[in-house]
Structures are given as structure tokens and as C-alpha cells.
């Protein structure tokens, strides 16, 4: 069966520090991978998605970047965090032939102080 | 531009009664709709979906209704149980946009014993 893991689960970082959130998927090949952020009153906002290794699409301009160094690994990064980067970040995957259902990781709570 | 909207941020119902969560969308290209359920500090989990070729889909206590002409869908939970208390997200996708999901803002459902 397929599983998705992301870490760390919680992170408290000072403004200006770097960020790295990691997500891995097991039990499937060539998944579509996604990073979402949950913000109050705005639901789940799509930040990045990837259809393959090295292929990253950004949905909104921001202080973050994403990379996909391996087929089942998706990394969310920042060189210098802003206060506004605080939030709940969710990684998700979808099979290539799937109609649209996403499977989400456990989420990572980031607090920037 | 919020293409998927859940206008009620919260809903409170009595155990055993019906819960009705509503969702409106603006993009006429959306052809697949999903509901996700989310507990605090966890990733969303898929609940039920409906394709645009249908107007109703039922799974146990959960039924989703789709009114394409009104661009409106709703999730009915009957009977409601205290364990149903969670945030419910409506999501929509279009084949023309690679089936990426667009989420609503979420509705916090509280089922009182």
C-alpha cells in the first residue's frame, strides 16, 4: 500500500533562517506531488506541484521554493523565512492515472518568530 | 480569485440530526468534486467524490449532491455523530488543468452530543 510521510511535524524558526521540509512517498512510482499550505480563512492553497523528477510548477509567487531530487521525494525550502511563512504545510500525492483524489501527509506546523 | 467557496466557516448540529455543508464554484470547467475531512494537526483525508456526469453519490452516512446549473454542491451527513466534528473542505478539479485540486476555505462542523 502507498504511504506518505513528511517531516518535521513541528518547527519553530527565527525570521531570516532557512527552511527545509521533506516529503516522501512509498509504494507508488512516478506520482504527482504537491505542497499545500493551510491558512486561516483561505483553505488549502496550492504552492507547488511536480509531475516528475526536476519538474516543478509554482502556483503563487512567494518566498518559498520546491525541489524533486528523486521520484518519490519532494522538498519545500526557503533561504530566509518571513513571519508570513508561518502556517500548516501539507504534502500530497496523486497517481498519474487517478481521477483527482489526493492523499495527504500528516502536515508540518511551521512557526516563524 | 476564489474559485471554490464555502461561505459558512462553521456549522453546529445536534447528534443524530442531519449536517448539510455547502460549496459553490465559479469555474465551469470543473468536472470532478471531492470532500475532505480534516482533524486538527492532521492531514486531510478523502471522504467522498462526485463526477460532473452525476448529480448524487452516496456512501453510507455521507451523500454528495451536485447541481451543475447552480454550480453548487453539498455534503449531507445523516445521522451526524460527535466523531464527525472536523473541518470539511470542498475541492474541485478540471481535466483541462491537469486535475489539480482547488480547495474551498473549509467549514468547521461541530456535532454536539
Amino acid at each position: 500500500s502507498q504511504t506518505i510521510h513528511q517531516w518535521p511535524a513541528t518547527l519553530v524558526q527565527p525570521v531570516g533562517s532557512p527552511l527545509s521540509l521533506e516529503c516522501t512517498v512509498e509504494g507508488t512510482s512516478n506520482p504527482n506531488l504537491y505542497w499545500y499550505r493551510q491558512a486561516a480563512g483561505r483553505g488549502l492553497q496550492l504552492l507547488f506541484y511536480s509531475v516528475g523528477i526536476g519538474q516543478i510548477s509554482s502556483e503563487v509567487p512567494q518566498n518559498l521554493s520546491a525541489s524533486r531530487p528523486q521520484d518519490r521525494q519532494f522538498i519545500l525550502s526557503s533561504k530566509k523565512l518571513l513571519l508570513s511563512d508561518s502556517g500548516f504545510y501539507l504534502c500530497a500525492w496523486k497517481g498519474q492515472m487517478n481521477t483527482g483524489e489526493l492523499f495527504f501527509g500528516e502536515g508540518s506546523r511551521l512557526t516563524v518568530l | 480569485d476564489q474559485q471554490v467557496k464555502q461561505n459558512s466557516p462553521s456549522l453546529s448540529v445536534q447528534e443524530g440530526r442531519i449536517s448539510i455543508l455547502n460549496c459553490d464554484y465559479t469555474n465551469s470547467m470543473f468536472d470532478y468534486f471531492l470532500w475532505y475531512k480534516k482533524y486538527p494537526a492532521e492531514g486531510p483525508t478523502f471522504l467522498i467524490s462526485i463526477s460532473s456526469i452525476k448529480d448524487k453519490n452516496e456512501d453510507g452516512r455521507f451523500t454528495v449532491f451536485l447541481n451543475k446549473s447552480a454550480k453548487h454542491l453539498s455534503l449531507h451527513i445523516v445521522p451526524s455523530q460527535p466523531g464527525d466534528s472536523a473541518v470539511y473542505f470542498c475541492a474541485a478539479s478540471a481535466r483541462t488543468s491537469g486535475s489539480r485540486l482547488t480547495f474551498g476555505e473549509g467549514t468547521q462542523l461541530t456535532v454536539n452530543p
Side-chain angles (χ1 to χ4, degrees):
Chain A
S1 65
Q2 300 90 355
T3 58
I4 178 169
H5 298 288
Q6 58 176 109
W7 67 92
T10 59
L11 198 59
V12 180
Q13 293 285 103
V15 170
S17 64
L19 169 74
S20 181
L21 298 179
E22 190 166 340
C23 171
T24 60
V25 181
E26 298 176 0
T28 186
S29 297
N30 198 25
N32 289 341
L33 296 172
Y34 305 81
W35 278 110
Y36 281 87
R37 176 169 58 200
Q38 182 186 7
R42 296 194 62 188
L44 296 171
Q45 182 185 31
L46 178 62
L47 302 176
F48 301 96
Y49 71 96
S50 171
V51 298
I53 295 174
Q55 301 179 60
I56 309 294
S57 295
S58 174
E59 286 292 297
V60 293
Q62 57 205 312
N63 184 43
L64 302 167
S65 62
S67 61
R68 186 169 177 175
Q70 300 180 44
D71 180 44
R72 290 171 290 174
Q73 184 185 29
F74 205 22
I75 297 172
L76 184 68
S77 305
S78 174
K79 292 182 179 178
K80 286 185 178 182
L81 283 169
L82 306 172
L83 286 174
S84 58
D85 292 324
S86 293
F88 192 60
Y89 290 84
L90 290 154
C91 180
W93 75 273
K94 179 174 78 71
Q96 292 287 351
M97 300 304 294
N98 193 279
T99 54
E101 179 185 336
L102 289 180
F103 299 91
F104 285 87
E106 309 94 328
S108 298
R109 170 70 62 190
L110 170 65
T111 302
V112 182
L113 302 176
Chain B
D1 175 30
Q2 191 70 19
Q3 297 186 61
V4 179
K5 285 194 69 64
Q6 295 174 253
N7 291 313
S8 297
S10 64
L11 175 68
S12 183
V13 300
Q14 214 51 38
E15 181 179 5
R17 307 294 287 269
I18 185 171
S19 296
I20 300 177
L21 298 107
N22 294 301
C23 178
D24 297 292
Y25 62 95
T26 58
N27 189 341
S28 58
M29 299 304 292
F30 287 147
D31 54 13
Y32 192 68
F33 305 88
L34 309 90
W35 284 94
Y36 281 81
K37 176 180 178 180
K38 185 183 179 302
Y39 293 115
E42 294 183 11
T45 55
F46 170 73
L47 196 57
I48 193 169
S49 64
I50 188 167
S51 165
S52 59
I53 62 174
K54 294 185 175 181
D55 54 18
K56 176 183 175 181
N57 188 26
E58 191 172 353
D59 183 3
R61 296 185 297 114
F62 303 91
T63 303
V64 56
F65 295 92
L66 175 63
N67 182 334
K68 289 186 289 293
S69 60
K71 294 191 177 66
H72 177 84
L73 66 155
S74 60
L75 174 67
H76 293 210
I77 307 173
V78 55
S80 302
Q81 300 173 353
D84 295 329
S85 298
V87 176
Y88 288 79
F89 288 99
C90 167
S93 71
R95 270 190 228 97
T96 54
S97 64
S99 295
R100 296 195 302 279
L101 292 186
T102 301
F103 285 84
E105 306 93 329
T107 297
Q108 171 69 57
L109 173 66
T110 303
V111 180
N112 301 303

